[in-house]
Amino acid sequence: MQDSPDYLAKKAFFDKIVTIYGRNAVVEALEDEHITIHKLHLADSNKPSSQLKKMVTLAQKRSIEIAYHDKKALSRISKNAKQDQGVALDIVLEQALSEDAFLSQHNTFRVIALDGVLNPQNLGMIIRSCAAGNIDAIILPSKNAAQISPLVIKASVGTVFKLPIIKSKNLYQTLEKFKAKETQLYTLSSHATKRYNEVSYGDKTLFILGNETQGVTPEIEKLSSASIAIPMNRGVESLNVAVTASLLAFL
């Protein structure tokens, strides 16, 4: 049985939703009219405060739905009961999409895939560089990786809302789909013989960047079409992953 158009449209919309939490972060997001917001969530056990009053006023001014929940339900929404402070906010990443949607819309592209990048600051800086450079999208796994959060939004200086982000439930399977579409997958290695700025890249190019300490996982490494190197001087072994992304973004 095929899914109905209404169901598919609703699923596509909710795939773009990212939930942030914490009172300062929620107020900042509500104040920024460039951010599309779906819903404000509040715990009904919250004690009255000027900050909560401000949230409600801002939400009402922007005609944003406000939902009240018991503390347990709110923590299921925020997924961080210890730090949500009784508030959560659903924001809409207008540029978020699935790998299938991206591949159906693009015949040529340069994409960066992140394999286990955990530091929110790094993720934000990667997004900023890619948005400014020649990258068409970032692939962001939904597990074992930093997710879009207030810290990431701040580090990206708002560019997270400008760059297409492919949300991947399984990075290996996502990369297999790209490879099936004749995409060349590149990993970085200090032992590679080809320099990153001397390669003739094709119409469909994907760079895989690994975890800050462990690099690309062996499973993902096996999918790679080739390895490229960033030449280093003075015995320096590697660069920060965000710096590497910046170099690749401006090839």
Side-chain angles (χ1 to χ4, degrees):
M1 183 187 293
Q2 283 191 329
D3 293 323
S4 70
D6 283 349
Y7 169 81
L8 291 172
K10 188 177 283 189
K11 184 179 183 302
F13 173 76
F14 281 102
D15 281 345
K16 296 176 185 287
I17 296 289
V18 172
T19 302
I20 65 171
Y21 54 82
R23 297 189 180 191
N24 288 337
V26 166
V27 168
E28 284 179 16
L30 285 166
E31 287 177 328
D32 188 341
E33 296 197 1
H34 294 100
I35 298 176
T36 303
I37 295 169
H38 173 58
K39 190 183 293 186
L40 170 64
H41 302 275
L42 300 172
D44 51 22
S45 58
N46 285 335
K47 293 178 181 177
S49 74
S50 58
Q51 208 171 23
L52 287 170
K53 187 177 179 182
K54 187 175 184 178
M55 287 179 209
V56 171
T57 301
L58 286 167
Q60 289 173 339
K61 185 180 176 183
R62 295 181 60 180
S63 300
I64 294 164
E65 182 183 349
I66 303 171
Y68 291 88
H69 312 269
D70 63 50
K71 186 61 180 159
K72 244 182 199 178
L74 192 282
S75 67
R76 284 197 294 271
I77 293 166
S78 72
K79 295 183 174 62
N80 197 326
K82 291 182 179 178
Q83 296 179 15
D84 65 32
Q85 299 176 306
V87 302
L89 190 71
D90 293 333
I91 62 177
V92 183
L93 290 181
E94 301 282 7
Q95 299 289 336
L97 73 172
S98 69
E99 61 261 32
D100 294 327
F102 180 86
L103 287 168
S104 69
Q105 295 167 15
H106 295 79
N107 294 319
T108 64
F109 51 78
R110 281 196 183 181
V111 170
I112 283 182
L114 304 180
D115 179 19
V117 172
L118 297 172
N119 186 303
Q121 193 84 13
N122 281 337
L123 176 56
M125 290 190 291
I126 289 167
I127 291 169
R128 187 180 184 187
S129 293
C130 291
N134 304 310
I135 298 299
D136 297 298
I138 284 178
I139 299 174
L140 182 63
S142 58
K143 294 180 181 177
N144 302 317
Q147 300 301 307
I148 305 303
S149 68
L151 276 175
V152 172
I153 294 169
K154 193 167 285 187
S156 80
V157 197
T159 55
V160 68
F161 300 105
K162 298 179 180 180
L163 180 74
I165 293 178
I166 299 167
K167 297 167 75 176
S168 170
K169 293 179 181 176
N170 184 305
L171 183 59
Y172 188 91
Q173 291 176 5
T174 296
L175 295 179
E176 278 191 319
K177 286 184 181 181
F178 273 83
K179 203 164 184 179
K181 295 288 185 178
E182 300 179 338
T183 306
Q184 293 295 302
L185 276 55
Y186 294 91
T187 50
L188 280 292
S189 170
S190 58
H191 305 296
T193 55
K194 295 178 182 177
R195 294 187 172 201
Y196 82 106
N197 55 353
E198 296 174 348
V199 175
S200 179
Y201 297 106
D203 288 340
K204 298 178 180 181
T205 298
L206 190 151
F207 302 106
I208 306 168
L209 301 183
N211 171 270
E212 288 88 344
T213 54
Q214 304 298 321
V216 175
T217 55
E219 181 187 40
I220 298 297
E221 181 80 45
K222 289 176 184 175
L223 287 174
S224 175
S225 310
S227 288
I228 52 176
I230 296 173
M232 304 282 180
N233 296 320
R234 299 177 183 88
V236 176
E237 291 184 3
S238 63
L239 295 173
N240 171 276
V241 65
V243 175
T244 301
S246 183
L247 291 173
L248 296 173
F250 287 92
L251 275 171

